[in-house]
Amino acid sequence: MSTVSQPANRPEQPPPAAAGHPAAGTPAPAPDPAGDRHRLTALQGLAALSLDAMASVAYGPEAIVLVLAAAGAHGLGFTLPVTLAIAALLAVLVASYRQVIAAFPHGGGSYAVAKAHLGRRSALVAAASLVLDYVLNVAVSVTAGVAALTSAFPALYGDRMWICLAVLVLVTAINLRGIADSARAFLLPTAVFVASILAMIVVGLFRDAPASTVTATGHASVLAHHATSVGALLLLKAFASGCSALTGVEAVANAVPSFRAPATRRAQRTEVALGALLGAMLIGLSLLIGRFHLQPVEGVTVLAQLADASLGHNWAFYVVQFATMVLLALAANTSFGGLPVLMGLLARDNYLPHVFGLKADRQVHRHGVLALAAVAAALLVFSGGDVNTLVPLFAIGVFVGFTLCQTGMVRHWYRERSARWVGKALLNGFGAVLTAAAAVVVTATKFTEGAWLIVIALPLLVLAFEAVHRAYARIGDRLGLGRVPEPPRRARSLVVVPVSHLSRLTGEALNAAVSLGDEVIAVTVTYDTPEDRPATEALRRDWELWNPGVDLLELPSPTRSLGRPIADYVADLTARRPEARVTVLIPEAEPAHLWQRALQNQRGAVLARAVRRDTGAVICRLRFRLTPG
């Protein structure tokens, strides 16, 4: 038997006074050895949470080159300086998020920092920016991976949307089994990709000339001619475009609770390893671009040209291309590792429905995973599986989150005033200026290409968070959360049992009712029609013969309604007996096999819905389990 409980009484939903993220410096939760096998090691963290950042080396350097190509060959000479600036910002971000992990071991990243040091509204902006970034990352990653596949097999181009949805279903299914299982599944593709990129860089640095230029042959160059000036605005735009390679750096800080104990130390190691690998690959690819005097061409990625030039047009070239394709498609896993944890924190703070704070047996925020998959699927359908439709919307949100996180950490150091706090604050302040500039430039340059949707969606999402919070505040006020209730007092208990026939189910229902209540009333709905009168008379006769000591009250119904007569009777009974606690006990048979539930008449659900809608009575649903046989 289960009862309908009020939302605030659920143990996973603390009252608003207790809700919220722990303050900075709060120790991480105690280790849970039984659940540790469903959490991440540092190496698994790279596979589960860094795929977005790792895969960005496939489009980050290309974004820089395409912008600088507007200034001709002279502009391409600035590829390495711009990349070094991005690598410097990457180092700042890694150092910052390493401190965020230590200060906020319960996860949340930018949201947690902004909440502690910048206020509620800034925290919600940070959360909204992360939500948008994570959702768009799923759609962009899947479409980019499928685009690489359809480039190799053009016959599949017409089915790209269905392929995108199939990849999304696969990644979602793996994540529903737990983040540790997804990490183990993606560990090999991650290792192959990183190894192939690093090998390509090392081999390329020892070459004096390209080994092959087959991929670029016959493709039109996008390099501008007769352009020699490189202005500050162009460099800033190239820097902002290249910063797309930094998306995903914050994912580890958002998902600290997903790591094994000691979670903080493991997450910090993962963050540093991610920064080191990403920085090495970005700088290495930039060196190769300059070494081979690469020129961007239409229809061929910069990474493909570099693989061709370093390794030759052979099996190694195809290994790099295939590994890139797979990792791009699987980079969506970063969002599945980070966003459900963030949604859980927002739910705990009453900014999202509390259901997002629940965890399944494998430490999975199942509702968060499914919600992310549903929204991403809608985006894929909206875009038709075309990556170019989604790219202009990508990366703006993460720059907003970066800026708020860096600004919050400046205030953190100022308040804490620990050793060398001035240097740390200056470092974070410099990072905040750079990421804010990148956010402004990317938004301005991509505004007409679709970035205006993010400008609208961000405040709308913040307003939605606040609307949910106000709703929970009203519920809490009505329930008196945070106030000491009056001492419990005993009231006379009156149990109403709806019945339709005599059976073991009826007997079990009355046994439970007389155990629960001081007074029990059995009720049955009767219909005055020729076909129904025999059944009514048979029940009346059998009840008198059985004589259970409980009166059977007949409720005539002029229509075929079942729930309304009982709800009206309960409402009238409550009005006539205000001193009594009225409970409606609804007996239901539970089949032995799942498929047999389709055979039930759903009578119990109809009654429960009617009584809940029209009365304030307590509802108990007695489950009588049928054994196989």
Side-chain angles (χ1 to χ4, degrees):
M1 180 177 68
S2 61
T3 60
V4 175
S5 58
Q6 298 294 341
N9 292 337
R10 285 180 280 182
E12 72 276 5
Q13 300 167 9
H21 196 282
T26 303
D32 177 15
D36 256 6
R37 63 192 180 93
H38 298 304
R39 299 181 190 272
L40 301 171
T41 64
L43 184 61
Q44 290 172 342
L46 276 175
L49 301 170
S50 70
L51 296 187
D52 177 18
M54 294 292 187
S56 66
V57 302
Y59 49 80
E62 183 162 10
I64 299 172
V65 169
L66 289 175
V67 173
L68 293 177
H74 183 62
L76 292 180
F78 287 87
T79 301
L80 182 57
V82 171
T83 303
L84 290 175
I86 293 173
L89 178 56
L90 172 64
V92 172
L93 290 173
V94 169
S96 176
Y97 277 108
R98 190 174 180 276
Q99 299 299 327
V100 170
I101 290 168
F104 299 88
H106 292 268
S110 302
Y111 168 67
V113 175
K115 181 184 173 187
H117 300 296
L118 299 179
R120 180 180 62 86
R121 184 63 60 83
S122 296
L124 293 181
V125 172
S129 67
L130 287 172
V131 169
L132 291 174
D133 175 59
Y134 277 136
V135 171
L136 286 168
N137 172 59
V138 174
V140 169
S141 297
V142 171
T143 52
V146 173
L149 175 66
T150 55
S151 296
F153 303 97
L156 299 176
Y157 185 78
D159 299 319
R160 63 190 184 281
M161 188 186 75
W162 297 108
I163 299 174
C164 285
L165 293 175
V167 172
L168 178 62
V169 169
L170 173 64
V171 176
T172 303
I174 293 175
N175 277 276
L176 286 174
R177 289 187 55 81
I179 191 170
D181 281 9
S182 72
R184 284 189 284 268
F186 300 150
L187 193 58
L188 180 60
T190 305
V192 171
F193 176 80
V194 172
S196 62
I197 296 296
L198 293 178
M200 181 183 74
I201 292 171
V202 171
V203 172
L205 290 176
F206 282 97
R207 290 192 184 277
D208 295 325
S212 170
T213 58
V214 173
T215 56
T217 302
H219 294 268
S221 173
V222 299
L223 192 68
H225 298 288
H226 310 297
T228 57
S229 61
V230 179
L233 184 60
L234 184 67
L235 291 176
L236 188 61
K237 184 177 178 181
F239 172 80
S241 297
C243 280
S244 61
L246 302 181
T247 57
V249 172
E250 79 291 345
V252 177
N254 289 335
V256 179
S258 299
F259 285 84
R260 294 182 186 178
T264 299
R265 192 177 307 164
R266 291 183 188 273
Q268 287 178 323
R269 290 174 182 169
T270 302
E271 187 73 51
V272 172
L274 168 59
L277 287 172
L278 182 56
M281 289 190 289
L282 289 175
I283 295 173
L285 293 176
S286 178
L287 288 171
L288 291 186
I289 290 171
R291 190 173 187 84
F292 296 134
H293 304 290
L294 181 142
Q295 295 184 8
V297 298
E298 293 181 355
V300 179
T301 65
V302 168
L303 190 63
Q305 290 187 66
L306 290 177
D308 197 24
S310 294
L311 304 173
H313 205 75
N314 50 32
W315 64 268
F317 168 82
Y318 288 103
V319 167
V320 173
Q321 291 302 100
F322 183 74
T324 303
M325 178 191 70
V326 171
L327 204 75
L328 278 169
L330 298 181
N333 194 66
T334 297
S335 295
F336 283 99
L339 182 57
V341 175
L342 175 63
M343 294 176 73
L345 293 176
L346 288 168
R348 191 171 67 180
D349 292 345
N350 297 329
Y351 290 112
L352 279 181
H354 288 160
V355 69
F356 291 113
L358 302 178
K359 279 187 179 182
D361 294 338
R362 293 173 174 264
Q363 302 296 321
V364 182
H365 290 84
R366 184 170 294 161
H367 296 89
V369 169
L370 293 174
L372 173 58
V375 177
L379 277 176
L380 290 173
V381 173
F382 164 75
S383 67
D386 184 9
V387 67
N388 293 323
T389 305
L390 298 170
V391 164
L393 312 179
F394 190 45
I396 296 175
V398 74
F399 289 141
V400 174
F402 282 162
T403 303
L404 289 171
C405 183
Q406 298 279 336
T407 306
M409 288 306 292
V410 171
R411 297 198 66 178
H412 172 77
W413 297 127
Y414 179 77
R415 291 177 179 177
E416 189 178 85
R417 294 177 180 265
S418 58
R420 298 187 296 277
W421 71 271
V422 175
K424 296 176 180 178
L426 287 174
L427 189 65
N428 289 132
F430 180 63
V433 172
L434 291 179
T435 54
V440 171
V441 172
V442 172
T443 303
T445 56
K446 302 292 185 182
F447 189 82
T448 57
E449 299 177 31
W452 60 270
L453 285 172
I454 301 299
V455 176
I456 294 175
L458 192 64
L460 287 179
L461 197 52
V462 172
L463 291 176
F465 290 155
E466 291 187 327
V468 172
H469 193 268
R470 286 194 299 271
Y472 275 125
R474 287 193 294 268
I475 293 172
D477 183 65
R478 296 291 299 274
L479 293 177
L481 293 177
R483 299 193 296 269
V484 179
E486 296 179 0
R489 61 182 185 276
R490 178 177 175 79
R492 183 172 179 80
S493 179
L494 200 160
V495 181
V496 177
V497 183
V499 298
S500 59
H501 55 266
L502 286 189
S503 64
R504 288 182 59 193
L505 180 61
T506 310
E508 289 294 328
L510 291 187
N511 287 339
V514 296
S515 301
L516 290 172
D518 300 312
E519 183 180 348
V520 177
I521 302 174
V523 297
T524 185
V525 178
T526 61
Y527 309 108
D528 190 20
T529 58
E531 63 268 21
D532 290 311
R533 285 180 196 137
T536 301
E537 293 171 357
L539 176 61
R540 186 185 303 129
R541 182 178 61 254
D542 293 343
W543 194 274
E544 292 175 354
L545 292 173
W546 182 32
N547 191 20
V550 174
D551 293 333
L552 177 64
L553 179 64
E554 297 182 7
L555 303 176
S557 174
T559 64
R560 302 296 300 179
S561 174
L562 174 65
R564 173 65 65 180
I566 294 179
D568 289 344
Y569 171 73
V570 171
D572 179 68
L573 186 63
T574 303
R576 289 188 289 106
R577 306 277 296 274
E579 78 289 350
R581 171 69 69 181
V582 179
T583 299
V584 180
L585 189 148
I586 303 173
E588 297 176 276
E590 185 172 291
H593 303 288
L594 185 63
W595 67 269
Q596 292 175 334
R597 295 186 182 181
L599 306 178
Q600 292 180 287
N601 57 20
Q602 304 302 318
R603 186 173 182 270
V606 171
L607 289 174
R609 194 159 46 244
V611 173
R612 182 183 298 111
R613 183 183 62 240
D614 299 329
T615 77
V618 177
I619 300 173
C620 293
R621 299 179 72 171
L622 174 69
R623 307 285 186 179
F624 182 74
R625 295 185 177 179
L626 303 176
T627 56

